[in-house]
């Protein structure tokens, strides 16, 4: 069995990854208590003890607001922490997946979907730290896959981490009886977390490099929330539950979509957001 070390192991992505592959890989899932990535010595020790074949580096501070308000902490974790993990991976010859983000393109003014060759212009601390980490890691490691994820979504599960996502945010507003205001001026790839997780083993088979990962989506954020409500049988209540926000991003619609054409050439494909939302709701028996 190949040994896989995870950082950010308690988070949204890695808890589901561990659950899925606990019998496929020998997994060491680490988070702050076991391996604080800002501590280089701790990283070296953990890697020398476990001797992973692969490391999937998911630990990060991923909140845009938190990063903007705490740029030094964000840099320490998202950049220096990533460097420590890459140096430790190199020391034991482990191959590394680094999870980056669509947010490296959030300052680009040309419309998406962005391809891997497009020059990213991040305009948030989160996006900037992720892009800087990508660059630093390429200098440290040759055996590196940089995966830029679109915004993932999923539903709560036993003992799994959660992070804000369009599906659960929309459904929680319904549960709380709150009307939510959603922008019609934002376009993002929205990807079912298991559409990524199910294909992780295939990543280890493709050439090292940078890849855009996730669903294509031509719907605005408002239209996706509307679709979710329709699919869970609340179509007649859409006007009571959802308000279209025409003001946000009015002067310059936000477009952070990624093209998944490159990864598709390696047999790793994604349903578009509309179909994947239906699939997710079906899997969780929530489709009415
Ligand atoms: N979810 C998405 O939609 C999405 C989209 C694009 C990219 N990504 C990237 O994908 C990765 C995983 O995302 P996610 O949604 O699973 O994030 P998450 O739920 O926030 O998980 C990140 C984990 O990293 C941990 N962490 C923070 N600082 C650490 C440190 N110093 N040492 C070790 N661990 C530390 C966090 O612990 P605490 O909670 O205790 O701080 C948390 O458990 C992240 O790198 C994120 O930037 C996610």
């Amino acid at each position: 069995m190949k040994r896989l070390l995870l950082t950010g192991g308690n988070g949204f992505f890695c808890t589901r990854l561990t659950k899925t592959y606990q019998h496929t890989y020998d997994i060491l899932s680490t988070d702050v208590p076991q391996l604080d990535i800002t501590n280089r010595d701790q990283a070296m020790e953990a890697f020398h003890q476990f001797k992973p074949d692969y490391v999937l580096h998911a630990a990060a501070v991923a909140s845009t607001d938190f990063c903007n308000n705490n740029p030094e902490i964000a840099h320490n974790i998202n950049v220096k922490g990533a460097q420590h993990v890459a140096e430790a991976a190199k020391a034991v010859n482990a191959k590394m997946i680094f999870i980056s983000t669509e947010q490296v393109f959030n300052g680009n003014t040309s419309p998406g979907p962005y391809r891997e060759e497009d020059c990213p212009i991040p305009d948030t601390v989160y996006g900037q730290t992720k892009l800087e980490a990508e660059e630093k890691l390429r200098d440290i490691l040759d055996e590196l896959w940089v995966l830029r994820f679109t915004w993932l979504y999923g539903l709560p599960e036993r003992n799994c981490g959660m992070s804000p996502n369009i599906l659960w945010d929309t459904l929680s507003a319904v549960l709380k009886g709150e009307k939510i205001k959603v922008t019609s001026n934002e376009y993002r790839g929205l990807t079912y977390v298991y559409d990524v997780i199910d294909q992780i083993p295939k990543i280890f088979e493709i050439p090292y490099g940078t890849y855009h990962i996730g669903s294509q989506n031509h719907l605005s954020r408002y239209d996706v929330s509307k679709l979710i409500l329709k699919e869970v049988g609340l179509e007649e209540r859409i006007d009571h539950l959802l308000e279209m926000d025409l003001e946000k991003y009015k002067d310059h619609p936000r477009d952070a979509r990624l093209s998944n054409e490159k990864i598709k050439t390696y047999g790793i494909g994604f349903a578009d957001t509309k179909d994947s939302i239906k699939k997710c709701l079906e899997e969780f028996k929530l489709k009415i």
Side-chain angles (χ1 to χ4, degrees):
M1 228 184 228
K2 295 278 189 194
R3 284 187 298 279
L4 171 61
L5 189 149
L6 307 177
T7 67
N10 294 349
F12 175 70
F13 185 73
C14 281
T15 44
R16 287 164 180 76
L17 183 87
T18 301
K19 213 170 78 169
T20 306
Y21 292 115
Q22 56 187 323
H23 303 300
T24 309
Y25 299 107
D26 179 4
I27 297 178
L28 178 65
S29 175
T30 69
D31 211 285
V32 184
Q34 305 80 25
L35 166 52
D36 178 345
I37 58 165
T38 62
N39 183 331
R40 188 177 184 276
D41 293 342
Q42 228 182 65
M44 281 293 173
E45 197 186 321
F47 276 67
H48 276 108
Q49 268 186 21
F50 187 61
K51 298 187 179 55
D53 299 288
Y54 303 115
V55 53
L56 186 145
H57 176 47
V61 271
S63 153
T64 305
D65 287 344
F66 180 88
C67 292
N68 279 338
N69 294 329
N70 302 275
E72 282 178 19
I73 299 176
H75 192 269
N76 199 30
I77 295 172
N78 291 356
V79 181
K80 286 199 186 134
Q83 285 176 273
H84 297 156
V85 173
E87 284 161 4
K90 187 173 179 141
V92 299
N93 292 322
K95 301 166 176 45
M96 176 162 166
I97 292 180
F98 171 58
I99 306 184
S100 187
T101 167
E102 52 164 16
Q103 296 298 312
V104 297
F105 290 104
N106 58 16
N108 289 57
T109 50
S110 58
Y114 300 105
R115 294 167 310 159
E116 288 79 352
E117 313 82 270
D118 292 328
C119 178
I121 309 172
D123 68 358
T124 61
V125 171
Y126 173 57
Q128 284 156 0
T129 55
K130 282 288 188 175
L131 184 62
E132 189 180 341
E134 287 185 13
E135 288 157 0
K136 296 256 160 69
L137 264 47
R138 289 187 196 104
D139 288 341
I140 298 169
L141 280 173
D142 295 325
E143 296 176 314
L144 173 71
W145 298 276
V146 172
L147 307 184
R148 292 183 182 144
F149 284 5
T150 62
W151 196 17
L152 305 177
Y153 67 81
L155 290 164
E157 293 177 49
R158 189 176 187 218
N159 294 330
C160 284
M162 273 306 276
S163 61
N165 72 77
I166 191 156
L167 179 57
W168 184 235
D169 293 352
T170 305
L171 296 180
S172 336
V174 175
L175 292 174
K176 288 181 204 154
E178 287 171 357
K179 186 169 190 168
I180 48 168
K181 210 170 167 182
V182 183
T183 177
S184 55
N185 296 317
E186 184 182 59
Y187 293 84
R188 294 171 78 171
L190 299 163
T191 306
Y192 181 29
V193 61
Y194 283 107
D195 282 350
V196 181
I197 286 176
D198 289 347
Q199 305 196 78
I200 286 293
K202 293 190 209 165
I203 299 289
F204 298 134
E205 307 298 325
I206 67 176
Y208 302 112
T210 300
Y211 297 92
H212 290 177
I213 298 289
S215 293
Q216 302 292 164
N217 177 31
H218 304 293
L219 300 175
S220 72
R221 187 157 167 179
Y222 172 84
D223 283 330
V224 174
S225 287
K226 201 168 148 183
L227 172 76
I228 291 166
L229 294 177
K230 182 170 166 248
E231 294 298 325
V232 297
L234 294 170
E235 187 167 17
E236 285 170 11
R237 294 185 53 209
I238 284 173
D239 290 341
H240 297 280
L241 296 166
L242 212 56
E243 183 181 341
M244 188 188 285
D245 184 346
L246 293 163
E247 285 303 305
K248 201 171 180 187
Y249 310 126
K250 162 176 88 168
D251 296 331
H252 187 19
R254 189 168 189 237
D255 190 344
R257 289 172 298 173
L258 300 179
S259 161
N260 61 22
E261 288 302 314
K262 179 178 174 188
I263 194 81
K264 217 158 70 177
T265 63
Y266 294 99
I268 299 176
F270 296 89
D272 71 12
T273 294
K274 196 173 169 185
D275 290 338
S276 75
I277 281 184
K278 291 181 190 172
K279 175 182 153 191
C280 170
L281 292 171
E282 266 161 17
E283 286 185 4
F284 280 83
K285 312 293 178 218
L286 280 170
K287 197 166 176 323
I288 310 288

